[in-house]
Amino acid sequence: MTISMYQASVPVFKRALKNLSAILEKAAAHAGTKKIDPMVLAGDRLAPDMLPFPRQIFIACDTAKFCVARLAGVEAPKFADDEKTFDEFKGRIQKTIDFIDGVKPAQIDGSEEKPISFKAGPRTLDFNGQSYLLTFAIPNFFFHVTTAYAILRHNGVEVGKMDYLGG
Amino acid sequence: MTISMYQASVPVFKRALKNLSAILEKAAAHAGTKKIDPMVLAGDRLAPDMLPFPRQIFIACDTAKFCVARLAGVEAPKFADDEKTFDEFKGRIQKTIDFIDGVKPAQIDGSEEKPISFKAGPRTLDFNGQSYLLTFAIPNFFFHVTTAYAILRHNGVEVGKMDYLGG
């Protein structure tokens, strides 16, 4: 009785992405009610040299996408990073869920010791499957989901911890 | 070859807590260099109805502490939540690391199906060990670590993603 690589990846990402999508829906509704241009929320960042809201969404999605693709040894779909509206962000999240949902447990299970290497900026990062999942992908994924949430909260969107954690 | 409950909990929390402690050190140094009262950073929050910085640290620590205690079936140490300075926050993190480090893999492994119930505000949350770890403790833990980081970044502390992810 132990956790499989699949159980610790696909359902974890999927659940948080669905919660994030529901948070975006609340943000869009908030902008509508308050007559705020949605781009005010969707273009904000927490510090001048932090990435803006859309990039937080893209990187959260891509961290999940690449993690699942690398563990399974399949090609990740390419997305153009051109989404700008809340509806488009939700579409990006859905495309990500569709991709990771299409990968079967048997494709990921047993990838604990699989060598995983990739470039991150100027550096090459080397992991095995388990260290990649637990020390990089999961922390990085929740970093960007939380930062997206924090930008919305900072802008007055009425969401709370239970929206982030899900039901 | 699968992930044990221990591997997916104690080392994951410990690594992120050590990184958080190093981030606090940089925040304290930044306050010193810029002649900012450290309490300006340590008292800030991202929205008027979000929890302030100290509570982000306390909840990150306590999420790790209670997760490990509940999975292992041992009593969690009680902390007074009275830390106010960066040095005291680092002490709180170290006490948390010392506690989770004292729990052995054999105490946690095999807790996948263990019933875990606790009160969160007015609600009682029911999990088994695996769902508690993967759908509550890990997302909640990284939420508060990231929010602490975000408050410091929002205040100009020069830390980056690699400080969060660690070496």
Side-chain angles (χ1 to χ4, degrees):
Chain A
M1 214 174 51
T2 44
I3 308 171
S4 74
M5 287 292 286
Y6 181 85
Q7 290 166 330
S9 56
V10 172
V12 171
F13 296 138
K14 189 175 160 187
R15 178 188 175 93
L17 288 171
K18 282 183 161 181
N19 296 343
L20 180 59
S21 193
I23 288 167
L24 296 185
E25 200 140 4
K26 288 197 177 184
H30 174 90
T33 307
K34 299 277 185 182
K35 303 197 192 312
I36 299 168
D37 179 349
M39 297 308 291
V40 171
L41 306 180
D44 198 29
R45 59 183 96 211
L46 290 176
D49 59 345
M50 275 184 90
L51 294 171
F53 185 79
R55 294 268 289 158
Q56 304 297 340
I57 301 289
F58 300 160
I59 302 176
C61 287
D62 282 2
T63 301
K65 176 185 81 173
F66 284 122
C67 177
V68 170
R70 286 176 181 134
L71 292 177
V74 301
E75 192 76 20
K78 284 188 175 43
F79 302 134
D81 289 351
D82 56 1
E83 295 88 349
K84 289 187 182 66
T85 68
F86 284 114
D87 273 349
E88 289 169 356
F89 296 143
K90 283 170 56 190
R92 170 67 170 263
I93 291 171
Q94 191 54 54
K95 283 195 293 186
T96 304
I97 291 175
D98 290 345
F99 167 67
I100 67 175
D101 236 7
V103 174
K104 300 280 167 273
Q107 294 175 269
I108 288 186
D109 285 344
S111 60
E112 285 83 352
E113 302 291 335
K114 180 176 183 166
I116 306 273
S117 292
F118 58 94
K119 299 268 283 182
R123 311 198 318 166
T124 298
L125 302 180
D126 295 301
F127 301 95
N128 67 26
Q130 182 171 319
S131 69
Y132 170 53
L133 176 62
L134 294 178
T135 71
F136 182 88
I138 286 178
N140 199 53
F141 174 76
F142 284 114
F143 179 94
H144 290 286
V145 172
T146 300
T147 303
Y149 169 99
I151 292 171
L152 297 176
R153 282 289 265 113
H154 184 61
N155 277 279
V157 176
E158 287 175 11
V159 286
K161 173 74 80 58
M162 292 320 291
D163 294 296
Y164 166 86
L165 288 173
Chain B
M1 213 174 49
T2 45
I3 308 171
S4 74
M5 288 291 286
Y6 181 85
Q7 289 166 333
S9 57
V10 173
V12 171
F13 296 137
K14 189 176 160 185
R15 177 188 175 93
L17 288 171
K18 281 182 163 183
N19 297 342
L20 180 59
S21 193
I23 287 167
L24 296 186
E25 199 140 1
K26 288 195 176 184
H30 173 89
T33 307
K34 301 276 186 184
K35 303 199 192 309
I36 299 168
D37 178 350
M39 296 308 290
V40 172
L41 306 179
D44 199 29
R45 58 183 97 210
L46 290 175
D49 59 345
M50 276 182 90
L51 295 172
F53 185 81
R55 293 268 288 158
Q56 304 296 341
I57 301 290
F58 300 160
I59 301 176
C61 286
D62 282 1
T63 301
K65 176 185 82 173
F66 284 122
C67 177
V68 170
R70 287 175 180 135
L71 292 177
V74 300
E75 192 75 22
K78 285 188 176 45
F79 301 133
D81 290 350
D82 57 0
E83 296 88 350
K84 289 187 183 66
T85 68
F86 283 114
D87 272 350
E88 289 168 356
F89 297 143
K90 284 170 56 191
R92 172 66 169 262
I93 291 171
Q94 189 56 50
K95 282 194 293 186
T96 303
I97 291 174
D98 290 345
F99 167 67
I100 67 175
D101 236 9
V103 174
K104 300 279 166 274
Q107 295 175 270
I108 288 186
D109 285 345
S111 59
E112 285 83 351
E113 303 291 336
K114 179 176 185 166
I116 306 273
S117 293
F118 56 95
K119 300 269 283 181
R123 310 197 320 165
T124 298
L125 303 179
D126 295 301
F127 301 95
N128 67 27
Q130 183 171 320
S131 70
Y132 170 54
L133 176 61
L134 294 179
T135 72
F136 181 88
I138 286 178
N140 199 52
F141 173 75
F142 284 115
F143 179 94
H144 290 287
V145 173
T146 301
T147 303
Y149 170 99
I151 292 171
L152 297 177
R153 283 288 267 115
H154 184 61
N155 277 282
V157 176
E158 288 175 10
V159 287
K161 174 75 80 59
M162 293 320 293
D163 293 296
Y164 167 86
L165 288 173

